[in-house]
Amino acid sequence: MSALFSTSRRRVLAGMTAVAGGLAVERSGLCSLAATAASRPDEFVSGKQGKLTPFPMTQVRLLDGICKQQAEINQRYLDSLTTDRLLHSFRVTAGLTSTATPYGGWEKPDCTLRGHFNGGHYLSAVALAYASAGNDTLRKSGDTVVAELARCQKANGNGYLSAYPQEQFAWLAAGVTEWPKVWAPFYTCHKIMAGLVDMYVHTGNEQALVVAEGMAGWVHGYLKDIGDEQRQRMLRIEYGGMNEVLANLYGLTGKQEYLDTAHLFEQPSFLDPLAGHRDELRGLHANTHVPKVIGAARMYELTGETRYRDIAQYFLEEVLTERSYAIGNTSVGESWRSDVGNLKGSLQYHDAECCVAYNLMKLGRHVFSWSGDARWMDAYERQLWNCRMGTQNPQGLKQYFFPLAAGYWRCFNSAEGSFWCCTGTGAEEFAKFNDTIYFHDSNDVWVNQFIASELDWKEQKFGLRQETSFPAGQGTTLRLKLTAPQKRTIHVRVPGWTAEGGAVRINGRELEAFAQPGSYLSLTREWRDGDRIDVDLPMRLHSEPLLGDPSMRAAFYGPLVLAADLGPGPKDGPLKIGGYDTGPKDADLGPPAEAPVGPAGDAAELIEVVSAKDLEFKSRRSLAVKPMYRVTDEKYAVYWGTEKKV
Ligand SMILES: [Zn+2]
């Protein structure tokens, strides 16, 4: 970390304290910022309004296991991309020379979303990979892209930075919104600004903050003369998390104009019903709207206005309980298309867009930090293991839709000819497994997720090594690394799915007490170096119905959705690896298969555990069964019919 960076961060924090309006800024957060070059904005802001703060990813390292393996696959994919090709359309737009071969798909030089991945998600992903795994090669590539984006912005002359010309924004203001002539100009703008902010926050790249502020200045100038009515019309076009990234810039700099501009991206027509606890989501495009709520969450954290907190909590609870599938994700053909609590008849190929899960999990981290309520981390775990893990193939390619009708299969983006939105959010997701495992307050530590990893809370001289093969292993072991005895409480999540027999042992001695499933087990004592905590979290088979349709049930083992293996899916080719399109064409997909049938009552009765430690199962009717996250190329079914049809 450079001295310049260190100084800058102190200035930033001084600004933060000033804008906090007397609210206490968490002291440990301040210390960690001074000591490390990488922290996300939420890591030093969320503690102001809430109870808990995530540890910076630089203080958490993954140990060998599936998460580390998947993170490394993602890093290899990111490393296969070259900066000259990523920068091509930015340079051309700025009138600079580029001889590189442009990438394809949504980054093609005639695609009106170009730049969203190349100058946006890519920067976020490499910044996260640096913070989470110390990947310096990717950080340097990120630095190159930032420097060249700065050159492009300078050539544009007015703060504007994009891989397409400003006419997109002129058309937006004029009400020209036909796709693909205009796609989503501010959506792309958000991705680029977020990528720059991530490079600043996670790697300390000062230039990235300067470029992001230049863009914010351009946005402010563009919007300042546009009236409310016209602006609200423009906001019907997807704009990602513009309110979030502007709020983050305010948090980082203390400059009021960024908060004012963030407010310009608020839509009363969307937020007011949520504030009134009314679900008017039917008909809305899911991934357009979740980022707006993340922006509201940040507004609460930065301003203390509880209306924003209520909006975020209500929205998340409503979507998770009334509009989500067993895998923990939502949307049908990218939208909410049904009445509250009714997903009957919605199983198809185009379910559960992966970006939506990414954004719901991001929102869930914020909401959890305000209360420490275990149910948010239960939901996060369900999403992590059922609709994120498994959506990357061994080449690092990502999934877009998550088919939930029987007989379909996973389809992935091509390496250089897709660059979907979900390619981008997937590249970020698989670079940040260690951002949610542990949270803390001023003294205590929360163990939220069971992922092999090591925590080094430098400021408190507190180390914790988590050894687990979860979910193959049913529990976890925590070993403390201390230089001197310390009194504090360690809170370990006991998931809602925990079966009879849950137990905790400290240094081999079982405690008489345990926690209710769906809460945190709080262990308070004077801890010593080498202390060992073993937590048993037994899993059992269970099931739950599709919302609104008790005749369709999903089977679980602990947190894991169990899928029926319906035989080989297509080999690599158009049905398996997509290009510009986000999956096979309808005519090539064919109709879904009939859902496998279980006995009346409970699909879980159909399944037998062959080996818990190997996560091997079989159906009593001879179908192969496996955790959904282990389904790779096979055709599968997540939902089982419960009526006897024979
Ligand atoms: Zn997407």
Short mmCIF file of all heavy atoms in Angstrom, two decimals, residues 30 139 267 374 565 628:
data_model
loop_
_atom_site.label_atom_id
_atom_site.label_comp_id
_atom_site.label_asym_id
_atom_site.label_seq_id
_atom_site.Cartn_x
_atom_site.Cartn_y
_atom_site.Cartn_z
N LEU A 30 -12.33 1.51 11.17
CA LEU A 30 -11.32 2.52 10.89
C LEU A 30 -9.93 1.92 10.95
O LEU A 30 -9.10 2.14 10.10
CB LEU A 30 -11.41 3.66 11.91
CG LEU A 30 -12.70 4.48 11.87
CD1 LEU A 30 -12.73 5.46 13.03
CD2 LEU A 30 -12.80 5.23 10.57
N ARG A 139 -4.71 -8.06 -10.85
CA ARG A 139 -4.71 -6.66 -10.42
C ARG A 139 -3.98 -5.79 -11.44
O ARG A 139 -4.45 -4.70 -11.79
CB ARG A 139 -4.04 -6.50 -9.06
CG ARG A 139 -4.02 -5.05 -8.56
CD ARG A 139 -3.19 -4.85 -7.32
NE ARG A 139 -1.77 -5.15 -7.54
CZ ARG A 139 -0.90 -4.32 -8.11
NH1 ARG A 139 -1.28 -3.13 -8.51
NH2 ARG A 139 0.36 -4.68 -8.27
N GLN A 267 -37.23 5.88 -8.03
CA GLN A 267 -38.54 5.86 -8.66
C GLN A 267 -39.61 5.64 -7.60
O GLN A 267 -39.78 4.52 -7.12
CB GLN A 267 -38.61 4.70 -9.66
CG GLN A 267 -37.75 4.86 -10.88
CD GLN A 267 -37.69 3.55 -11.62
OE1 GLN A 267 -36.96 2.65 -11.24
NE2 GLN A 267 -38.49 3.44 -12.66
N ALA A 374 -30.25 -14.91 11.76
CA ALA A 374 -29.69 -16.08 11.06
C ALA A 374 -30.45 -16.43 9.78
O ALA A 374 -29.89 -17.03 8.87
CB ALA A 374 -29.69 -17.28 12.00
N ASP A 565 -31.35 -37.22 -11.85
CA ASP A 565 -30.50 -37.29 -13.04
C ASP A 565 -31.29 -38.00 -14.13
O ASP A 565 -31.61 -39.18 -14.01
CB ASP A 565 -29.23 -38.08 -12.67
CG ASP A 565 -28.27 -38.21 -13.84
OD1 ASP A 565 -28.69 -37.99 -14.99
OD2 ASP A 565 -27.09 -38.57 -13.60
N MET A 628 -27.97 -30.75 -6.61
CA MET A 628 -28.07 -29.95 -7.84
C MET A 628 -26.73 -29.32 -8.20
O MET A 628 -26.38 -29.22 -9.36
CB MET A 628 -29.15 -28.87 -7.65
CG MET A 628 -29.44 -28.05 -8.90
SD MET A 628 -30.11 -29.01 -10.27
CE MET A 628 -29.14 -28.36 -11.63
#
